[in-house]
Amino acid sequence: MRGVQHLAASTITGIRERLTQKTTGFKPARVLTRLLWLVTVPVVAMAALSGILVARQRTSAERAARVERHMPGVNALVALDEALHNEQASVVIIREAADLHLTPRALGQLIGFDLDVIGPRRAATDAAIRGLGRAVPFDVRVLRSTRAAIDSQTVDPTEANAAFTAFDTEVAATLDHLVHHLGQDANDVNGGRALVDALEALDAASTALRAGAAQTADMADLALGPQSRTPGALVALGRDGASYARAFEQLRTYRPHSLDGALRRVTTAPGPLAFEQAVTAAQEGRVTRASTPQAIVDLSRRFGGAFERDDLLYALVGRSAKLVNATAVRLRTHEQDRYRRAVAYVAVLGLGVLLAALALALTITRPLRRLVAHAGAVTDGRLDVDELPPRGPRETRLMSSAFNDLVANLRLLESKTNALAGCDFDDPVLGQRLPGRLGQSIEDSVRVLWGSIEERNALQERLADQATHDPLTGMYNRAAAISAIEQALARSRRTGDAVALLHVDLDDFKLANDTHGHEIGDRVLREVGARMGRVVRAGDVVARLGSDEFLVLAERIVDITEATTLARRVVDAVSAPISAGIHRITVGASVGVALALDGNDEALPLLARADMALDRAKRRGRSLVELYDESLQEQLLERADIEHALSAALTRGDDELSLHYQPVTDTVTGSVVGCEALLRWDRPGHGRVPPDAFIPVAETSPLIVDVDLWVLDTATRQLAEWSRHADLRDLTVAVNVSGRHLLGRSLDTHVRDALERNGADPGHLVLEITETVLLSDLPTAASQLESLRALGIRVAIDDFGTGYTSLATLQQLPIDTIKIDRSFVNRIDEPRDRSLVRMVTELGHQLGVEIVAEGVETGDQRNALADTGCDAIQGFLVCRPVPAGDFTAWCEARARDHANREAS
């Protein structure tokens, strides 16, 4: 039933997840955002183009306003030009009156010029100058000084006239420059052609005014001046006449209609026509000079026409300036209105388009939001949602219709799933088919449902078995074993029966596994497990803890003898040879036994006690059984105490620890070739602690590495000191190194650091490694020895012969010295042992390896070793281990004895 319910729940969950994955693409924000982007991009582009047009219109309006702002300056310059001409006329009259020997007033009356209004004309000039503000084109102080000179008659009239002409030229240039720039601004304004025409008309009128005034002055020189000025005056009259004609031609070309009346008066008035006839006659050489009073009267009428023309030209200039002002105001107003209309148009158009886009987006997103809301309800498991109304575009209507069909199918699917979950296969709802492949899948699921339930139950059983059983041997694994121990102890507390725990570890399994391969090793483990299962009692639990470690749990143990007997049966069964294909493999077993007599124990502490007993059995030898008891606990406490004290001794260093050195001498000559450094510990309150009492304790913990480091540092420091001694500089110093340190892959670094720190020669340092360490992990040991020899250090195998090193293994090791164990030296008088020592010596020599014998205590042993070809010896026969100072003195004394013997 649970399997059916789980299958049904998984089906519903899967459909909901797929629906969720499909509906998450219809989030309103995302659809609306995309629609907005779709519409906004062209709107933004349109707005950008509109903005450019608006900006141009704004620029046009600003330029029109700038033209208007500069018009007061134009008016002021026109007024100044007119005022200067009027004031200059008085200067001309004064000059011509002097030439005609008339008073200025009399000449003025003859030509129609009133000198009584000179004051108001000067005031008009000053007012025009003030109207310019700071934009005065000349120095006013010069004008004032000129006027004062004229009034006091301290300046020549010709010079005064030239000064006024220079002033007028500057005014005219400034006016022309300003009109030119205003014309450029007007050209850049939309519809600025009328303003350009008005400005050009003003410029032409100003030019005509200046040229007409110049004609009047030229005629005055011809008619009133001395004969000497006549040629120059004729040339000037022609030049100024041409300038006047060009200005009038331009004026007729650019004139607006509003200037037609003023132009007509200039060209049709009797006075100006009479003056122009006089100019024409003068240019044709018919110059009437003022030589008689009647001639002066005739000329006065003509000059009156010149002054009348100047007045009409002044009026024309003024009217042109007013026309420019009015046109500039109209243009500025028109352009500003156009700018405001453009801004409003763009704003309204943009807002309208945006609102239209939003309205269009809403017609799409509203149905989608309704669809997403319904999809969210379905995702949450609520199928009682209303149908979606068919609204919006055609696509959203189709989606709503499809979703309504989907919800209906899900409701039917939910009803079918509930029927399946309740195993109600007769429910009529199962007969209603869903459309498409989904309906076919539901029908198929009904057929395979029971098969799925059976497969699921079988899978659960297999998983439960794998969780509690070792996959290789089929035994209980560690977790199941600990659970079985806890249950056995609980029963023991109720019954009072004893429980025995046997911790079994195979001997030499690693060697067999490395030699024959892991496949053979697995077959050995399976056979060991089967044998243990056959020799234990009925009801006993056999488990594999890992690697080559096993456990036997025995309940209702009568006494200790029954537990040890059971352990011995296990050892005997495992120790028998095992056939694995073509191989016959022999492994032993060591067993540690721990008892729980009353059940008042915990599983893990009981297992730890069995492990302690096993550790002692392994240290004592092979295939042994050890029982955990109080003495073992005392040993453990003693080991812990030694470990703590040794750690403190390493901190204090030379206060407790020291090195003694035992010499190594040549077997034949007796000369000293080296020495071995041996650690000594003088423990406060305990005296000298034997090495075999604390070195094995250190070997079982990382503390042994610290011991090696202390010994290496002390020995290399002593080696460096002896290298400065004449008799000891060739001496080698051998240091014993722990197997844990060698296989930890850091020994080469530590040795290099010690040599560099103390300045010792690596060629005089020998590292001694026990044979059993090399066999425990031969590849790692060989790699580390190669690294050490690369430093220049020599390597020796210590206690050779105790680890059963094969000859093939010996060839694989990068070594320099073999030290034969003292057990062979003690039996050197026996033929078998002597032959063995001879064989090892000969093999070593063939391999280029030096042979050193340890533990030599008698002369017969030395002679026998010399007979076998042994290279060097070490032992009490030569010298006991002594401190460094005593060793130095011993070597010096021995050197003197050798010297005396050679001398005699």
Side-chain angles (χ1 to χ4, degrees):
M1 176 63 72
R2 287 194 300 269
V4 176
Q5 293 174 344
H6 182 73
L7 177 62
S10 300
T11 303
I12 287 291
T13 302
I15 293 176
R16 287 176 180 172
E17 289 177 353
R18 289 192 292 274
L19 181 60
T20 301
Q21 293 171 358
K22 292 181 180 180
T23 57
T24 52
F26 292 96
K27 290 183 179 179
R30 295 177 63 183
V31 174
L32 180 58
T33 301
R34 294 183 181 185
L35 289 174
L36 286 177
W37 272 110
L38 182 63
V39 178
T40 302
V41 169
V43 170
V44 170
M46 182 190 70
L49 293 175
S50 301
I52 294 173
L53 295 176
V54 169
R56 290 181 178 177
Q57 190 60 47
R58 179 182 178 182
T59 302
S60 180
E62 289 176 349
R63 287 176 176 170
R66 186 163 61 244
V67 171
E68 183 186 11
R69 287 195 303 271
H70 283 87
M71 286 313 300
V74 173
N75 295 332
L77 288 171
V78 169
L80 179 59
D81 192 27
E82 179 181 0
L84 281 174
H85 285 163
N86 288 332
E87 188 173 351
Q88 185 180 7
S90 64
V91 176
V92 172
I93 291 172
I94 293 171
R95 183 192 68 181
E96 300 303 335
D99 292 339
L100 294 175
H101 306 288
L102 296 175
T103 63
R105 182 176 300 275
L107 182 58
Q109 291 175 350
L110 287 174
I111 63 176
F113 189 85
D114 189 2
L115 290 177
D116 291 336
V117 294
I118 189 65
R121 288 173 179 169
R122 287 184 176 181
T125 301
D126 293 339
I129 291 174
R130 288 194 297 272
L132 288 175
R134 296 182 179 180
V136 179
F138 49 83
D139 190 350
V140 177
R141 292 175 298 178
V142 176
L143 177 62
R144 292 171 182 170
S145 63
T146 302
R147 288 175 176 173
I150 292 172
D151 294 341
S152 62
Q153 297 183 357
T154 59
V155 64
D156 181 74
T158 302
E159 294 177 355
N161 183 50
F164 274 99
T165 301
F167 297 156
D168 184 58
T169 301
E170 291 183 10
V171 171
T174 303
L175 179 60
D176 291 342
H177 178 76
L178 181 56
V179 169
H180 175 72
H181 281 283
L182 291 178
Q184 288 182 338
D185 283 341
N187 264 325
D188 294 333
V189 176
N190 297 323
R193 186 65 250 178
L195 180 57
V196 172
D197 290 344
L199 287 168
E200 289 176 347
L202 174 60
D203 185 56
S206 298
T207 302
L209 174 62
R210 287 192 295 273
Q215 277 186 321
T216 302
D218 296 336
M219 285 298 294
D221 282 341
L222 286 172
L224 302 177
Q227 191 71 27
S228 59
R229 288 210 299 262
T230 299
L234 282 174
V235 173
L237 182 63
R239 182 184 64 245
D240 294 335
S243 177
Y244 179 81
R246 285 195 301 272
F248 241 82
E249 184 63 29
Q250 291 177 356
L251 198 56
R252 291 190 183 94
T253 302
Y254 300 119
R255 76 179 188 278
H257 295 297
S258 58
L259 300 179
D260 287 347
L263 281 173
R264 190 166 46 252
R265 284 191 291 273
V266 172
T267 57
T268 60
L273 287 176
F275 180 74
E276 290 180 3
Q277 292 174 358
V279 170
T280 302
Q283 289 175 339
E284 292 175 353
R286 295 182 285 109
V287 180
T288 302
R289 298 187 58 78
S291 58
T292 65
Q294 183 59 41
I296 294 174
V297 172
D298 293 337
L299 289 176
S300 66
R301 287 194 299 270
R302 295 181 182 180
F303 277 103
F307 292 137
E308 182 183 356
R309 188 184 68 172
D310 288 346
D311 291 338
L312 292 174
L313 288 174
Y314 285 139
L316 177 62
V317 171
R319 194 169 184 82
S320 298
K322 291 179 180 179
L323 176 61
V324 170
N325 286 334
T327 306
V329 171
R330 286 196 305 273
L331 183 60
R332 186 262 303 163
T333 303
H334 179 262
E335 291 303 305
Q336 288 182 344
D337 290 342
R338 288 187 60 186
Y339 169 65
R340 285 191 289 268
R341 287 195 300 273
V343 171
Y345 171 76
V346 170
V348 171
L349 179 62
L351 181 60
V353 172
L354 185 59
L355 291 177
L358 288 174
L360 177 62
L362 289 176
T363 62
I364 300 174
T365 57
R366 281 174 180 170
L368 290 180
R369 283 200 296 269
R370 287 193 294 268
L371 178 61
V372 170
H374 281 59
V378 173
T379 302
D380 294 336
R382 295 184 284 109
L383 299 178
D384 54 342
V385 294
D386 298 332
E387 287 191 358
L388 290 171
R391 296 177 183 173
R394 180 168 177 247
E395 289 77 5
T396 56
R397 294 187 182 196
L398 291 176
M399 291 172 60
S400 299
S401 177
F403 185 81
N404 292 334
D405 294 341
L406 176 61
V407 172
N409 290 334
L410 285 175
R411 288 171 181 164
L412 180 58
L413 177 60
E414 184 179 37
S415 300
K416 288 178 176 286
T417 304
N418 290 334
L420 290 175
C423 294
D424 188 5
F425 299 107
D426 296 326
D427 194 319
V429 75
L430 296 177
Q432 300 180 28
R433 294 196 57 180
L434 288 170
R437 291 188 295 178
L438 180 61
Q440 185 63 42
S441 298
I442 293 297
E443 292 182 3
D444 293 341
S445 66
V446 173
R447 288 193 298 269
V448 302
L449 183 59
W450 290 115
S452 299
I453 294 174
E454 292 177 355
E455 291 179 2
R456 189 178 187 85
N457 291 338
L459 176 61
Q460 290 177 345
E461 292 177 359
R462 288 197 302 272
L463 292 176
D465 183 76
Q466 291 176 4
T468 57
H469 287 75
D470 174 53
L472 178 64
T473 62
M475 297 177 171
Y476 276 170
N477 58 16
R478 183 181 183 88
I482 293 175
S483 178
I485 296 172
E486 292 173 345
Q487 296 173 12
L489 292 175
R491 289 190 292 269
S492 176
R493 284 191 287 272
R494 293 194 301 271
T495 63
D497 295 332
V499 175
L501 200 62
L502 282 62
H503 191 178
V504 183
D505 184 81
L506 302 184
D507 299 329
D508 300 328
F509 173 74
K510 188 177 187 308
L511 178 61
N513 198 40
D514 293 341
T515 303
H516 303 290
H518 292 287
E519 183 179 355
I520 299 299
D522 291 345
R523 294 176 64 176
V524 171
L525 291 175
R526 284 193 291 268
E527 178 61 23
V528 168
R531 290 184 181 184
M532 292 176 63
R534 290 194 293 267
V535 300
V536 299
R537 306 172 309 162
D540 291 345
V541 176
V542 181
R544 182 188 177 207
L545 298 182
S547 186
D548 58 349
E549 297 184 33
F550 295 84
L551 180 141
V552 177
L553 173 64
E555 298 184 60
R556 297 181 302 279
I557 293 295
V558 177
D559 53 22
I560 294 175
T561 302
E562 185 178 9
T564 55
T565 301
L566 176 60
R568 178 50 59 186
R569 287 206 306 270
V570 169
V571 171
D572 293 341
V574 173
S575 299
I578 298 174
S579 298
I582 62 175
H583 305 286
R584 286 180 61 81
I585 300 172
T586 300
V587 295
S590 300
V591 182
V593 182
L595 296 177
L597 301 178
D598 52 7
N600 293 323
D601 290 281
E602 299 294 334
L604 293 180
L606 182 63
L607 182 59
R609 292 199 293 271
D611 183 64
M612 294 177 189
L614 173 62
D615 183 61
R616 185 166 64 176
K618 297 285 285 184
R619 290 199 309 272
R620 290 178 56 192
R622 297 161 46 87
S623 301
L624 298 179
V625 176
E626 278 290 341
L627 180 67
Y628 178 86
D629 55 13
E630 295 299 328
S631 64
L632 179 58
Q633 181 69 24
E634 291 177 0
Q635 291 179 15
L636 293 175
L637 292 175
E638 182 180 358
R639 289 169 61 87
D641 179 62
I642 291 175
E643 184 176 345
H644 177 73
L646 181 58
S647 178
L650 287 171
T651 302
R652 290 187 288 269
D654 295 341
D655 293 342
E656 297 183 25
L657 300 175
S658 62
L659 290 183
H660 285 200
Y661 299 88
Q662 187 174 32
V664 177
T665 60
D666 186 276
T667 306
V668 178
T669 65
S671 60
V672 179
V673 296
C675 63
E676 180 180 0
L678 301 171
L679 181 62
R680 296 294 182 261
W681 181 21
D682 293 318
R683 183 180 177 186
H686 295 75
R688 177 67 57 84
V689 182
D692 56 1
F694 67 88
I695 292 297
V697 174
E699 286 279 5
T700 60
S701 72
L703 186 63
I704 189 62
V705 176
D706 296 331
V707 172
D708 282 355
L709 292 176
W710 188 92
V711 172
L712 277 171
D713 185 69
T714 305
T716 53
R717 188 168 58 249
Q718 184 61 56
L719 180 61
E721 182 179 343
W722 281 337
S723 66
R724 295 185 290 272
H725 195 288
D727 296 330
L728 304 177
R729 64 167 55 100
D730 297 328
L731 202 67
T732 62
V733 176
V735 175
N736 291 281
V737 177
S738 164
R740 180 190 291 266
H741 200 176
L742 175 69
L743 301 180
R745 302 180 182 273
S746 60
L747 179 59
D748 53 347
T749 301
H750 292 160
V751 172
R752 184 190 305 110
D753 293 343
L755 290 169
E756 292 177 354
R757 184 169 53 252
N758 295 310
D761 184 0
H764 290 170
L765 179 64
V766 181
L767 296 184
E768 295 188 1
I769 313 294
T770 59
E771 182 184 12
T772 53
V773 170
L774 300 175
L775 294 178
S776 64
D777 191 347
L778 186 61
T780 301
S783 174
Q784 284 293 292
L785 293 180
E786 286 287 0
S787 298
L788 291 168
R789 294 191 73 201
L791 298 176
I793 297 168
R794 302 175 65 184
V795 177
I797 297 181
D798 197 14
D799 300 334
F800 185 81
T802 61
Y804 307 103
T805 303
S806 67
L807 299 180
T809 301
L810 192 63
Q811 291 178 337
Q812 299 175 21
L813 295 174
I815 59 175
D816 301 283
T817 303
I818 293 177
K819 300 189 75 171
I820 299 175
D821 186 67
R822 65 180 64 247
S823 60
F824 293 97
V825 174
N826 291 338
R827 299 190 301 270
I828 192 68
D829 55 339
E830 297 180 7
R832 182 176 181 277
D833 289 312
R834 179 175 295 188
S835 298
L836 182 60
V837 171
R838 185 186 301 278
M839 180 187 67
V840 171
T841 302
E842 291 176 354
L843 175 62
H845 288 164
Q846 290 178 4
L847 297 176
V849 175
E850 182 183 14
I851 306 300
V852 178
E854 294 182 299
V856 180
E857 298 182 356
T858 66
D860 292 339
Q861 292 174 347
R862 179 188 59 194
N863 295 335
L865 290 168
D867 182 60
T868 61
C870 180
D871 299 303
I873 60 174
Q874 175 183 347
F876 289 170
L877 176 65
V878 180
C879 181
R880 291 178 176 273
V882 294
D886 296 342
F887 180 82
T888 301
W890 182 85
C891 288
E892 292 174 346
R894 192 175 182 86
R896 287 194 298 270
D897 291 344
H898 274 282
N900 292 334
R901 283 197 300 271
E902 290 177 0
S904 61

